[in-house]
Amino acid sequence: MRSKTWIWVGLAAVLILAAVNLAILTAFPVEHQHVQEPLKRVNWILPFGPGFEYRGPYGSPVIVYDGMNETWQLQNTTAWSRTLSLGDRYSLDPAHPEDIRYTPDIAIEGDKISLDFFVRNLAGEDCAQADLAVTTGIERLNTTTGSPEGNILPGAATTLPIGDLAAGQWREVRVTADLPRPEPGEVLYLTIGLAAPYTITTPNGTPITFDFRRVTATIPGFNTSWKEEIDPGSTPDPDYNRAHLPGGSATFIVTGIEAPELVPPPTLRAD
């Protein structure tokens, strides 16, 4: 009698799990489970890197390092050299998007990697001079799961000067970073970041600092905007403002020549 009771309990649990899964699939169809939320855009200097397109290890360009010859080789170079369309993300008027396109032009020379980032001045002021911040970070990846392991190892932070960027103007800027040297069976995740300048200097020599209190964020494709709620008369916090500077990134997988290929996890399919 006790065994029959456990059988019925097991069947009930299976039916409950099936009902829960069905409810989840009904509320979030498979083809819509990875839809990203709309991006927010702020009116300051805005950098953009191709890491926006290739989030996560499985969609990033792969670079193979040969320790014997000390050479790095980008795999599938043609695919990663294609032109990117930014759509309405960095248009002056998100309601009327411009056809903005740029090409990363990834290149490896010796132990350096270089690529173009996109930068647009939406600060409402002409920028005569400013310094963007270039950062790098390296994570070790588990070759079985593709998940990061351990702490992020930061590289040397450098600055990238930019000048004569009028209000509304955009251009491509070249960013260069050191390539890591993984062990033969090791897989590393390299992130190259470009952050907006904290201060810009106008043509008449006036410095203007980034103050999140006066920034209005817009959501491309929507006729809505929001502004940070700040108490009147409050003193701006430089650390808080710096932490909210806009930035872009590019991500790469750097593997040793004997490292196994990362296999993406299985995805659900609707039958």
Side-chain angles (χ1 to χ4, degrees), residues 1-16:
M1 189 70 180
R2 184 175 299 173
S3 61
K4 289 184 178 180
T5 301
W6 283 113
I7 290 174
W8 282 110
V9 170
L11 288 174
V14 170
L15 290 174
I16 291 172

Side-chain angles (χ1 to χ4, degrees), residues 34-240:
H34 300 290
V35 175
Q36 294 181 344
E37 294 182 2
L39 295 176
K40 297 181 178 65
R41 194 197 73 179
V42 297
N43 50 333
W44 189 245
I45 309 295
L46 293 180
F48 169 94
F52 177 90
E53 305 291 335
Y54 320 130
R55 287 186 184 275
Y58 300 107
S60 299
V62 175
I63 299 170
V64 177
Y65 172 63
D66 181 352
M68 290 288 292
N69 300 308
E70 292 195 353
T71 58
W72 291 260
Q73 184 173 3
L74 176 65
Q75 307 296 294
N76 201 8
T77 304
T78 303
W80 303 115
S81 297
R82 70 183 186 275
T83 299
L84 302 177
S85 175
L86 303 188
D88 59 359
R89 300 171 204 167
Y90 298 97
S91 296
L92 294 176
D93 181 1
H96 301 88
E98 305 165 59
D99 185 20
I100 300 176
R101 298 172 182 269
Y102 101 105
T103 307
D105 286 327
I106 303 170
I108 294 177
E109 296 181 3
D111 61 352
K112 307 285 186 182
I113 183 170
S114 61
L115 70 155
D116 288 338
F117 277 66
F118 169 92
V119 175
R120 186 158 207 179
N121 181 1
L122 296 176
E125 298 278 354
D126 292 341
C127 173
Q129 191 277 328
D131 290 325
L132 295 91
V134 179
T135 57
T136 59
I138 300 171
E139 297 175 87
R140 290 182 176 87
L141 295 184
N142 184 299
T143 56
T144 301
T145 64
S147 301
E149 291 183 332
N151 297 325
I152 298 177
L153 304 176
T158 58
T159 58
L160 179 67
I162 188 171
D164 299 323
L165 190 66
Q169 184 181 6
W170 67 269
R171 74 176 57 150
E172 298 175 12
V173 296
R174 197 73 176 167
V175 174
T176 301
D178 294 328
L179 284 165
R181 290 175 164 83
E183 296 297 327
E186 191 176 34
V187 180
L188 302 178
Y189 192 42
L190 170 66
T191 301
I192 303 172
L194 183 68
Y198 179 57
T199 302
I200 66 174
T201 303
T202 64
N204 64 7
T206 302
I208 300 176
T209 59
F210 175 74
D211 188 350
F212 199 68
R213 300 179 306 169
R214 66 168 179 257
V215 165
T216 299
T218 59
I219 303 177
F222 294 79
N223 293 322
T224 58
S225 62
W226 59 271
K227 195 175 183 69
E228 185 81 352
E229 292 294 333
I230 303 293
D231 293 334
S234 62
T235 302
D237 182 349
D239 293 334
Y240 179 84

Side-chain angles (χ1 to χ4, degrees), residues 21-39:
N21 287 332
L22 180 61
I24 292 174
L25 290 174
T26 302
F28 304 98
V30 173
E31 62 271 20
H32 296 296
Q33 289 201 12
H34 300 290
V35 175
Q36 294 181 344
E37 294 182 2
L39 295 176

